[in-house]
Amino acid sequence: MECCRVLMIAIVALMLLFPVTDAWGIDGHDIVCNIAQSRLNEAAADIVQELLPKSAENDLGSVCSWADQVKFRYHWSSPLHYVNTPDVCNYNFERDCKDDNGEQGRCVAGAVQNYTKQLLTIGSNEGSSYNLTEALLFYSHFMGDIHQPLHAGFASDKGGNTIEVHWYTRKQNLHHIWDDNIIETAEERYYNSNVAGMIDAIQKNITTEWADQVKDWESCSYTDTTCADVIPRLLQIQIKRLVLCRYASEGIQAACDWAYKGAAEGSVLKDEYFLSRLPIVNTRLAQAGVRLAAILNHYFK
Ligand code: ADE
Ligand code: ZN
Ligand code: ZN
């Protein structure tokens, strides 16, 4: 009995020492889902309202982190929050999108594809055989995760989870800095510690500074596996061997260019890192929200 207690204490201590986090933090997901919900057309807004649990009071942002809360109940869903490359700055579906047992498609890009397909069964004549409330919550969450640069990171450091650095004076792992700390510091410094202020600021940028790029963010290209339905069948077969997902490709590129750069084990990250990386975080949150809305608007016609 004593040995079990010691073992338990050791396991808990290890978990506290080396936390492996799995998502943008609560605020990151809240921001993505708020931006998305505000951009829905009437039909899509009605369907989202119908699918949301009553307790959410028609606020998608309030349940956007649900997928993180059920990771232990739905153990199978844990690997669906991220994708790792073999320490290279490009992403390939066949090479990278598998879980630890090698099962193909079990990564965040595969999950985005899978839940797109589930949501497409809405309103089908025979009725959907999926739980579409859960599909919407998983989908909205994974669209956020795939835009967190270190959710498409290197396998050897688990997307920065094993890289210990300092965030100003506090010890922290690099993954957590991108999930939470950059957003938290921005909220404290610029928005009175208020997530609503950050949402407003990003939304203003979407209609001004980034207005020219929004069309491109929304567009489905042949490199985007979530657009499977709009790719002509013949082309689908031809490109099957080289299936890419634009979101994950952009993610690993940003991870290499911005997240890992200047953040080796033991670094102290402060204003120089924060101020140069915050625009990347803001852009990724905006892209996730814009794309989530565009896809729901497209499918929930
Ligand atoms: N666990 C292993 N790799 C991970 C990643 N890239 N993001 C989050 N959790 C992980
Ligand atoms: Zn997640
Ligand atoms: Zn994470």
Side-chain angles (χ1 to χ4, degrees), residues 229-281:
D229 71 325
V230 299
I231 301 175
R233 249 204 90 58
L234 199 65
L235 247 177
Q236 263 188 52
I237 296 163
Q238 283 173 8
I239 62 175
K240 204 165 174 182
R241 282 208 54 78
L242 190 80
V243 196
L244 300 161
C245 175
R246 177 149 77 124
Y247 314 152
S249 299
E250 291 167 353
I252 182 64
Q253 198 62 55
C256 286
D257 291 348
W258 298 100
Y260 286 124
K261 196 167 268 175
E265 174 87 16
S267 315
V268 180
L269 307 180
K270 38 195 185 185
D271 270 1
E272 191 196 338
Y273 191 90
F274 169 67
L275 294 171
S276 53
R277 272 57 173 181
L278 179 59
I280 311 303
V281 169

Side-chain angles (χ1 to χ4, degrees), residues 35 196-211:
I35 292 169
M198 185 145 170
I199 293 170
D200 280 351
I202 294 177
Q203 272 176 327
K204 271 206 193 87
N205 267 353
I206 288 172
T207 54
T208 55
E209 198 186 324
W210 299 322

Side-chain angles (χ1 to χ4, degrees), residues 33-299:
C33 282
N34 255 287
I35 292 169
Q37 199 171 15
S38 76
R39 296 176 65 83
L40 293 180
N41 62 34
E42 219 180 300
D46 285 350
I47 293 175
V48 165
Q49 176 163 25
E50 224 168 274
L51 290 179
L52 282 177
K54 286 282 155 296
S55 58
E57 299 180 340
N58 196 28
D59 177 7
L60 184 60
S62 71
V63 282
C64 216
S65 292
W66 170 85
D68 280 330
Q69 293 157 10
V70 297
K71 240 179 275 167
F72 295 100
R73 186 160 22 118
Y74 294 161
H75 206 64
W76 50 267
S77 68
S78 280
L80 304 184
H81 293 254
Y82 57 86
V83 61
N84 289 318
T85 76
D87 297 14
V88 294
C89 299
N90 59 70
Y91 164 78
N92 179 290
F93 187 83
E94 287 204 354
R95 185 192 62 199
D96 304 331
C97 192
K98 36 182 102 137
D99 62 19
D100 288 345
N101 302 320
E103 199 178 324
Q104 193 70 39
R106 287 187 37 79
C107 81
V108 67
V112 163
Q113 234 189 321
N114 173 42
Y115 286 107
T116 309
K117 285 202 192 116
Q118 291 198 16
L119 289 174
L120 269 171
T121 64
I122 199 161
S124 74
N125 291 337
E126 316 85 62
S128 176
S129 56
Y130 299 110
N131 180 333
L132 292 177
T133 296
E134 293 198 351
L136 174 68
L137 300 193
F138 273 128
Y139 184 67
S140 307
H141 180 91
F142 293 141
M143 276 297 282
D145 275 350
I146 202 170
H147 283 82
Q148 204 281 51
L150 287 176
H151 276 244
F154 292 163
S156 66
D157 56 43
K158 296 189 182 329
N161 269 297
T162 65
I163 301 178
E164 289 294 331
V165 293
H166 274 81
W167 184 244
Y168 295 89
T169 53
R170 284 188 59 173
K171 221 173 154 197
Q172 196 55 271
N173 78 60
L174 186 64
H175 187 96
H176 190 270
I177 286 170
W178 281 79
D179 269 350
D180 290 279
N181 297 99
I182 296 176
I183 294 174
E184 243 171 53
T185 302
E187 285 172 359
E188 282 164 16
R189 212 177 269 195
Y190 307 121
Y191 310 111
N192 242 330
S193 296
N194 191 345
V195 68
M198 185 145 170
I199 293 170
D200 280 351
I202 294 177
Q203 272 176 327
K204 271 206 193 87
N205 267 353
I206 288 172
T207 54
T208 55
E209 198 186 324
W210 299 322
D212 292 344
Q213 303 164 50
V214 167
K215 272 273 158 296
D216 174 56
W217 294 351
E218 285 175 329
S219 72
C220 276
S221 68
Y222 291 157
T223 57
D224 181 350
T225 51
T226 53
C227 300
D229 71 325
V230 299
I231 301 175
R233 249 204 90 58
L234 199 65
L235 247 177
Q236 263 188 52
I237 296 163
Q238 283 173 8
I239 62 175
K240 204 165 174 182
R241 282 208 54 78
L242 190 80
V243 196
L244 300 161
C245 175
R246 177 149 77 124
Y247 314 152
S249 299
E250 291 167 353
I252 182 64
Q253 198 62 55
C256 286
D257 291 348
W258 298 100
Y260 286 124
K261 196 167 268 175
E265 174 87 16
S267 315
V268 180
L269 307 180
K270 38 195 185 185
D271 270 1
E272 191 196 338
Y273 191 90
F274 169 67
L275 294 171
S276 53
R277 272 57 173 181
L278 179 59
I280 311 303
V281 169
N282 282 332
T283 308
R284 291 305 274 167
L285 292 168
Q287 285 175 330
V290 164
R291 285 165 171 170
L292 174 56
I295 293 169
L296 294 178
N297 284 338
H298 179 67
Y299 290 140

